[in-house]
Amino acid sequence: MAPVRFDLSDDQEFFRETARRFIEAEVPISVVREWHELPDGCPESWWQAAAELGWTSLMVPESLGGGSISGRPIVDLTIVADEMGRGVTPGPFMPTNVVADTLARSGSPDQQALLEGVLAGEVVLAWAFCEPGGDWTASHVTAAAVPSNGGYALTGTKVAVEAGAQAQHLLVTARTADGVAQFLVPSDAPGVTVNPQESLDLGRRFAEVRLVGVAVGPEALVGAPGAAAEADVARQSLIMQLLQCADNAGSAAKVLEFTIEYAFDRYSFGRPLASYQALKHRFADMKLWSEASQASVDGAANALAEGQDEARMVSVAKSYVGDHSVELMHDCVQMHGGIGVTYEHDLHLYLRRATVNRGLFGTPGDHRVTLSKMMGY
Amino acid sequence: MDDFVYAKTDPAELDRYREEVETWMNENMPRRDPDNPWHPTQDDDLRSTRNRELQRRLYDGGYAAVCYPKEYGGQSLTAAHQKIIDDVSMDFDMPVLFSVPTLSICGPVILEFGTEEQKQRYIPAWIRGDELWVQFISEPSGGSDMAGALTRADRDGDEFIINGSKIWSTFAQRSDYALMLARTNWEVPKHRGLTMFIVPIHHPGIEIHPIQMVDRTEEFCQEFFNDVIIPAENVVGAVNDGWTVASRLLFHERAAVGNASPYTQGRHRNRTADGVEDLAAIARVHGGADMGRHRQRLGYIETLSRVEELLSDRVVKGIEGGFLPAPAGSLVRLFHGLSRTERQTVAMEMQGDSALVWDQGESTGAFGLEYVQRQQACIGGGTTEMARNIISERILGMPREPAADRDLPFNQVPRSG
């Protein structure tokens, strides 16, 4: 089987292999199904074991106790996302890393002190961003941060907050008179209500977060309101989207692998499904989508790592991977026939998760509109 | 040999090379006029002369076919060097006519199978811009079933006598030589009775008929061979081992079509409907609120265009590193066919009614015409169906299609009336 990408260093390849073995040993698909019943989606002790492997330290610089594998932490992060996609592995991986990155870059020393717990897997972080009917851009944010008693009072409703009910701290994106601002708020602060939501994805956890006059001091601000906070929001959003794409590229590759195996094993009219040209051609298309998805993820990861044209390349990935990974899975359902639409078969676990990744932070259609605007039209 | 040779190259050396190429291009190659690019399909003579001149300029500067060995007129450099030339040359007129098939398909075949005399005689002539080659491979009886060739080559002492017909050779009437696949033994199964020849095109007994395409251009030709006499020294590889040669030719064709060949020079940019920038330009011209409905499709074309480049890089790296088998070039070929047809569809729709009905003297109908011909991108250079066969059979390892003619002597194989 071909590796995720073809330019990994030996260290990165070892990191990937370790992640895969850890997932296969600790969270095989039977365990994934058991964890669906856990309110928090995964045992705390497991998340701590994952953190020991470095899953929460990549975006945190060495000076704060973290460290990447390659010096290109974004790329390292996609390695884990890809493996988690292959395993439909639960866990607050995406929000914790995205918020940790912002704290490491823009947080105060007090806020950065939290990272020690993140690195140990003891502290989970969530990003309270999207609002009902919102379009996943900073401009849709209406949650208000009103100056009060030398600090702020936060009021607003956030939805689809991944790990919102598991996180000890929420990064809340709100609007001030000076523009968008971000605040780090303990999830048990007075005025904060966290209501777990249902999700198509049975593995990861999402919540609604209601803030009613939540009083925070000025020290809760993460970075400066206005342009600086908007830049942070943009980066958080791009990293989230990249990880969704890496997750979907990984899960699509995995689904294609076991569906190809099925096509060799399953006989119909005295010959394997894999011998029918009508099906072979569809597998060829799926292989194309899978490889092109991986190429899109690599392109977006490199763009983000190098800070070059990253908004465009991430939208390209969301536009391509979002559609083709999910279409690939639908086609694999079709290849399986009836068994593919049963609860018992694992296919829907992948399809559920991939569908959520496809839609949150903008559908492929949304990103195509974004791209057309970037083209100056 | 299953693969190109990719040498590792020092990044500092490549930076230096890029500077050198930029300086040289600026001083020596004609700059492309973005508003009126030289697009000579209307005048084949001009196209031929111009390409030969440009190739000669590259040769004189030491930038022609740099991946070819020095002893045959190249520079013995790496694919990375050629890519730098390609990048830099986007703004300049390049002799793209020499890229495919001469340098990227016929070239590596001669390098691999040619005799020393053949290499000395022919390779430098391409690189200098003196001789253009074409392929005489497809036949009117069928394009995808290449090994089913009916053109015959009968041995007569030191010569072969050729009879039959070939089709879809590009620009044959202005070219000089062709690689031709012909049947030399009818008593054995089809793959074992073929031989590859070098054929001079303007030669007694060869008639060339241009084929008028849907847009009335005449880039493709059909040739008829009537007792054409070719010396035996023009055989490439061994007599009756032409399929081995042809398989490698196909490999190089896929690489060339899939942008993965180190032997092409410059990039072919078809301005009318190829560039995404051009779609944005159409959008601006025909803009206004009405264009809102095209935004998603425009963004999708941008997506496909970027992903095609990324996929092409991935496949090259994958083959280079041994992560993907050589037939992975078919992935790029398939993607290209699909993305190009989509692009032409969107371009036509964005152009609106003026692609369908236009004022005299206007050129907007070109978008309609490109659309009508769009399946060319899924046919030429091996159909997308063949690409899907290759991907499923040679990358995914699925069972090969049953072939009724596999072990049958060729003269017993049923064929179309």
Side-chain angles (χ1 to χ4, degrees):
Chain A
M1 180 192 42
V4 181
R5 42 191 292 169
F6 302 141
D7 54 359
L8 295 186
S9 66
D10 290 347
D11 287 347
Q12 286 175 309
E13 193 54 41
F14 180 75
F15 180 63
R16 186 188 68 76
E17 198 50 47
T18 308
R20 180 170 299 186
R21 271 190 273 121
F22 175 68
I23 289 172
E24 284 172 356
E26 302 287 324
V27 210
I29 206 95
S30 56
V31 172
V32 167
R33 283 176 179 268
E34 285 170 28
W35 289 5
H36 288 167
E37 308 307 322
L38 301 179
D40 289 335
C42 66
E44 234 175 283
S45 58
W46 175 78
W47 184 242
Q48 286 164 16
E52 261 176 52
L53 296 182
W55 288 16
T56 55
S57 46
L58 297 167
M59 303 306 287
V60 177
E62 281 176 27
S63 57
L64 295 171
S68 71
I69 307 300
S70 64
R72 285 157 51 98
I74 295 268
V75 174
D76 300 339
L77 211 55
T78 61
I79 295 173
V80 181
D82 182 273
E83 293 300 330
M84 291 181 79
R86 292 182 62 91
V88 270
T89 313
F93 172 75
M94 292 186 193
T96 298
N97 277 296
V98 164
V99 177
D101 174 61
T102 294
L103 295 185
R105 294 161 64 95
S106 307
S108 65
D110 278 347
Q111 290 165 342
Q112 290 175 345
L114 271 180
L115 292 172
E116 198 183 329
V118 171
L119 297 174
E122 288 158 4
V123 171
V124 169
L125 302 170
W127 179 21
F129 177 46
C130 184
E131 301 182 2
D135 65 357
W136 298 102
T137 62
S139 58
H140 86 282
V141 170
T142 61
V146 181
S148 160
N149 298 328
Y152 295 87
L154 308 180
T155 299
T157 301
K158 301 289 186 176
V159 291
V161 179
E162 187 182 348
Q166 288 69 46
Q168 289 87 343
H169 295 268
L170 308 167
L171 180 66
V172 177
T173 307
R175 190 164 294 283
T176 68
D178 301 321
V180 168
Q182 300 205 97
F183 300 87
L184 194 65
V185 180
S187 52
D188 58 0
V192 176
T193 316
V194 180
N195 301 311
Q197 291 181 289
E198 301 282 344
S199 160
L200 202 55
D201 181 355
L202 302 172
R204 292 176 300 182
R205 296 291 175 259
F206 295 86
E208 177 203 56
V209 175
R210 285 177 185 268
L211 306 131
V212 181
V214 178
V216 295
E219 74 283 356
L221 264 177
V222 179
E230 272 179 37
D232 281 341
V233 169
R235 178 175 163 92
Q236 288 159 211
S237 180
L238 291 179
I239 297 176
M240 269 300 211
Q241 294 167 33
L242 171 67
L243 295 179
Q244 294 174 326
C245 292
D247 195 277
N248 275 19
S251 58
K254 174 71 182 179
V255 167
L256 181 57
E257 277 168 36
F258 69 65
T259 307
I260 288 173
E261 264 175 51
Y262 181 77
F264 276 96
D265 295 344
R266 176 88 174 172
Y267 276 65
S268 188
F269 301 99
R271 48 191 266 216
L273 295 185
S275 70
Y276 287 93
Q277 193 176 39
L279 306 189
K280 283 161 66 183
H281 281 195
R282 289 173 67 172
F283 278 109
D285 284 337
M286 289 192 268
K287 178 67 175 167
L288 178 67
W289 301 341
S290 175
E291 290 293 332
S293 291
Q294 189 58 56
S296 311
V297 171
D298 294 354
N302 289 341
L304 257 167
E306 281 143 32
Q308 256 185 10
D309 215 10
E310 62 268 36
R312 182 193 310 268
M313 298 314 286
V314 168
S315 275
V316 163
K318 276 288 275 181
S319 159
Y320 189 85
V321 182
D323 265 353
H324 289 89
S325 59
V326 172
E327 287 305 317
L328 180 153
M329 292 181 196
H330 282 304
D331 242 22
C332 285
V333 170
Q334 182 71 20
M335 294 292 172
H336 277 83
I339 189 74
V341 286
T342 63
Y343 198 86
E344 175 198 347
H345 200 281
D346 295 331
L347 254 165
H348 72 106
L349 305 182
Y350 295 88
L351 187 45
R352 285 164 176 274
R353 177 172 172 128
T355 303
V356 170
N357 285 335
R358 175 188 185 277
L360 299 187
F361 289 87
T363 62
D366 295 337
H367 284 278
R368 287 169 200 164
V369 171
T370 303
L371 285 169
S372 78
K373 289 177 182 166
M374 284 180 196
M375 293 164 76
Y377 146 64
Chain B
M1 189 176 92
D2 243 356
D3 212 335
F4 300 121
V5 178
Y6 292 90
K8 294 282 170 224
T9 316
D10 172 27
E13 140 73 11
L14 289 180
D15 287 345
R16 191 199 55 73
Y17 191 69
R18 180 180 293 272
E19 272 179 39
E20 182 191 307
V21 175
E22 280 170 354
T23 310
W24 185 85
M25 287 265 173
N26 273 310
E27 287 170 4
N28 294 281
M29 293 303 275
R31 200 164 265 283
R32 203 181 263 269
D33 174 0
D35 294 325
N36 186 22
W38 175 69
H39 198 264
T41 43
Q42 296 82 1
D43 186 336
D44 288 342
D45 281 327
L46 174 64
R47 192 176 172 202
S48 166
T49 329
R50 177 73 166 171
N51 270 277
R52 288 166 198 257
E53 269 172 29
L54 290 171
Q55 183 66 30
R56 178 69 197 206
R57 279 201 215 188
L58 279 185
Y59 173 77
D60 288 341
Y63 299 103
V66 297
C67 290
Y68 274 85
K70 273 199 175 132
E71 64 259 43
Y72 305 124
Q75 300 291 329
S76 297
L77 291 175
T78 67
H81 290 88
Q82 184 61 55
K83 186 164 187 309
I84 287 173
I85 295 177
D86 296 347
D87 289 347
V88 174
S89 69
M90 288 294 276
D91 296 331
F92 298 90
D93 275 348
M94 287 287 281
V96 287
L97 207 49
F98 276 85
S99 281
V100 183
T102 307
L103 290 168
S104 61
I105 304 176
C106 304
V109 166
I110 296 296
L111 269 180
E112 191 171 341
F113 296 98
T115 62
E116 190 52 37
E117 289 72 27
Q118 288 170 346
K119 292 182 197 174
Q120 304 268 7
R121 160 65 187 84
Y122 297 112
I123 301 178
W126 310 326
I127 300 182
R128 283 196 308 262
D130 291 344
E131 289 174 358
L132 263 175
W133 280 38
V134 292
Q135 306 177 80
F136 287 171
I137 303 289
S138 295
E139 298 198 358
S141 60
S144 293
D145 183 11
M146 193 172 121
L150 298 176
T151 294
R152 58 188 309 138
D154 297 300
R155 183 133 204 176
D156 181 14
D158 286 342
E159 294 170 337
F160 284 85
I161 300 164
I162 317 279
N163 283 283
S165 176
K166 293 285 178 179
I167 196 168
W168 305 128
S169 54
T170 312
F171 214 56
Q173 72 278 39
R174 299 293 185 290
S175 300
D176 306 283
Y177 285 86
L179 269 182
M180 183 183 72
L181 191 63
R183 189 160 304 279
T184 37
N185 186 345
W186 299 68
E187 316 290 325
V188 292
K190 66 175 182 180
H191 293 103
R192 288 188 252 145
L194 296 165
T195 303
M196 192 71 83
F197 294 90
I198 297 169
V199 177
I201 294 175
H202 306 286
H203 193 67
I206 302 184
E207 263 183 59
I208 304 174
H209 291 240
I211 302 166
Q212 199 175 52
M213 302 300 283
V214 171
D215 61 0
R216 301 190 184 219
T217 56
E218 297 184 343
E219 185 173 291
F220 295 105
C221 299
Q222 181 171 4
E223 297 77 28
F224 297 90
F225 309 99
N226 191 5
D227 289 334
V228 176
I229 297 169
I230 301 293
E233 66 192 38
N234 281 23
V235 168
V236 181
V239 173
N240 292 327
D241 193 31
W243 184 249
T244 306
V245 183
S247 304
R248 292 297 296 166
L249 180 142
L250 279 184
F251 167 78
H252 288 291
E253 179 172 62
R254 285 195 289 271
V257 174
N259 261 334
S261 170
Y263 300 118
T264 54
Q265 311 170 127
R267 255 176 243 142
H268 210 9
R269 223 197 223 173
N270 177 350
R271 194 172 174 282
T272 40
D274 210 11
V276 171
E277 297 82 4
D278 300 331
L279 292 190
I282 304 172
R284 279 189 290 272
V285 172
H286 296 263
D290 189 40
M291 292 303 283
R293 66 200 162 102
H294 294 304
R295 276 192 186 280
Q296 286 210 14
R297 300 194 74 183
L298 184 60
Y300 187 50
I301 298 308
E302 166 82 339
T303 301
L304 292 180
S305 155
R306 301 277 173 164
V307 175
E308 187 167 340
E309 258 176 58
L310 293 168
L311 177 69
S312 175
D313 282 355
R314 175 171 168 83
V315 167
V316 170
K317 263 190 213 157
I319 296 176
E320 180 185 335
F323 301 118
L324 289 173
S330 292
L331 291 164
V332 183
R333 191 274 169 271
L334 178 56
F335 197 103
H336 178 74
L338 301 177
S339 69
R340 175 116 191 202
T341 49
E342 181 75 18
R343 193 180 305 161
Q344 283 167 341
T345 305
V346 173
M348 193 261 306
E349 288 198 2
M350 286 176 55
Q351 190 67 36
D353 293 348
S354 63
L356 314 176
V357 179
W358 57 95
D359 292 338
Q360 288 184 6
E362 287 292 318
S363 60
T364 52
F367 293 93
L369 210 45
E370 295 253 4
Y371 171 76
V372 171
Q373 306 178 89
R374 67 165 206 192
Q375 288 310 116
Q376 274 188 2
C378 292
I379 298 170
T383 63
T384 42
E385 283 71 25
M386 290 304 286
R388 289 182 173 106
N389 278 355
I390 291 164
I391 294 165
S392 56
E393 294 173 3
R394 295 172 63 190
I395 302 179
L396 302 179
M398 293 180 163
R400 297 193 58 160
E401 284 306 299
D405 56 0
R406 187 153 292 159
D407 297 314
L408 216 53
F410 190 74
N411 52 16
Q412 292 171 31
V413 170
R415 45 181 113 113
S416 353

